[in-house]
Amino acid sequence: MRALTVNERIVSDDTDAYVIAEIGHNHEGELGKAEELIRQAAAAGASAVKLQKRDNRSLYTREMYDSPYTGRNSFGPTYGAHREFLEFGRAEYTHLQQLSAELGVDFFATAFDFASVDFLAELGVPAIKIASGDVRNTPLLAYAAKAGKPLIVSTGGADMETVRRACGTILPINPELALLQCTATYPAQTEELNLAVLGTYRAEFPDTVIGYSGHDLGPWAAWTAYALGARVVEKHVTLDRTRPGSDHKFSLEQEDIAELVDGLRRVRRSLGSPDKQVLAAERPAVLKMGKKLVAQRDLPAGHRLTLEDVAIKSPGDGLTPDRLADVVGRRLSGALTADADIVLDELVDGDAGRD
């Protein structure tokens, strides 16, 4: 059975979705905003909250780090200054980890580099996320796999060969993997989501939990993804969708998170059992709208039934119409009045019952 265990919580085909509220950098470098986002996500029923961890000096080339970065989304005059402004350190992570534990929601982060894997492992997070941009970064995938934490890997911008290579790197080291279909556009348009890939992943990796990381607007694609087999669902969250920043506009506010979680639970309940059967709740409707075999007119005992002798009428509390061939050509052991039920036990074969 495909299953993933995060902080003693089992995620499998038989469970509700494990919902990750992706805070990312929507806290805008403010600890208070991060706290409020965690509170709102926990209150809305999210399973986990997630940040993004970077060792910025080692992650970017000097040219990129020092490049000018201005505009509505900037928190610094250079890209490096912008990223450093948004980066939390050990004190903030420890504080937010403790807050999350108090609220009953898991806390972890995306690791963008080796130093960040070490940071998160030392912090004792219950899982590590790997972003789509690193799905080809097999050295980082292998390093993160060796940390002994469940890995959640997004696959935006990858083809199937790349996904196979990523899984082939991770799984021999660490079988605790969730593989997420993702589209690396922000926001992602409906025709770019390719949710059918979820079925491809489930067939290709039968022992791996499959999920969906959505940059689309609203909850509906995540609901569809669950119906297609996704059991980890990640969506960005924000306090205010109108705030400056690249991620705010496609993020969920608290009431949206609650709608997402509630909808995912409803989808699970609606899927129900794969066994097709008559439900107890259906029986009144089946009785009222169903049909049975009755006498078309008054018929004497011994009469051999023809198609013209049999009517199909409601309610459905008698011999069902699919038994018509079992009654035509047989004789009545007793007389029937019009609309009387035709009962198999009251029919005889051949000349028996003839007056």
Side-chain angles (χ1 to χ4, degrees), residues 31-55:
L31 185 61
K33 287 184 177 179
E35 292 173 339
E36 183 58 24
L37 281 163
I38 291 172
R39 290 190 183 96
Q40 290 193 4
S47 311
V49 292
K50 187 176 74 66
L51 300 180
Q52 296 177 3
K53 190 72 184 98
R54 295 171 174 85
D55 183 59

Side-chain angles (χ1 to χ4, degrees), residues 26-225:
N26 281 353
H27 53 69
E28 300 177 351
E30 296 183 26
L31 185 61
K33 287 184 177 179
E35 292 173 339
E36 183 58 24
L37 281 163
I38 291 172
R39 290 190 183 96
Q40 290 193 4
S47 311
V49 292
K50 187 176 74 66
L51 300 180
Q52 296 177 3
K53 190 72 184 98
R54 295 171 174 85
D55 183 59
N56 294 298
R57 284 289 183 181
S58 66
L59 181 59
Y60 302 107
T61 64
R62 179 173 295 278
E63 181 181 4
M64 184 173 184
Y65 190 92
D66 293 336
S67 62
Y69 193 71
T70 59
R72 185 171 184 264
N73 296 340
S74 175
F75 288 94
T78 65
Y79 190 70
H82 163 78
R83 290 253 51 107
E84 297 290 7
F85 183 89
L86 296 171
E87 197 67 46
F88 285 155
R90 185 171 301 276
E92 292 87 356
Y93 265 80
T94 300
H95 172 73
L96 296 175
Q97 183 182 46
Q98 292 172 347
L99 175 63
S100 299
E102 292 170 6
L103 296 172
V105 62
D106 294 339
F107 174 84
F108 55 94
T110 299
F112 284 82
D113 47 70
F114 297 97
S116 296
V117 170
D118 292 340
F119 175 92
L120 295 173
E122 291 169 8
L123 196 67
V125 296
I128 293 175
K129 173 74 191 296
I130 301 295
S132 291
D134 283 310
V135 70
R136 290 178 175 81
N137 190 348
T138 51
L140 180 64
L141 295 177
Y143 192 79
K146 293 173 184 175
K149 307 287 184 180
L151 295 188
I152 301 170
V153 178
S154 284
T155 58
D159 57 19
M160 198 61 198
E161 180 182 354
T162 299
V163 174
R164 290 189 185 104
R165 186 182 304 115
C167 290
T169 300
I170 296 167
L171 290 173
I173 303 170
N174 185 351
E176 289 282 292
L177 170 67
L179 189 67
L180 275 54
Q181 163 62 358
C182 179
T183 299
T185 55
Y186 311 90
Q189 302 302 309
T190 300
E191 59 274 14
E192 297 171 336
L193 300 181
N194 292 325
L195 296 179
V197 170
L198 294 164
T200 302
Y201 284 177
R202 286 177 60 84
E204 180 94 10
F205 309 105
D207 299 321
T208 299
V209 169
I210 304 304
Y212 173 65
S213 178
H215 304 134
D216 52 297
L217 303 176
W220 68 267
W223 297 339
T224 305

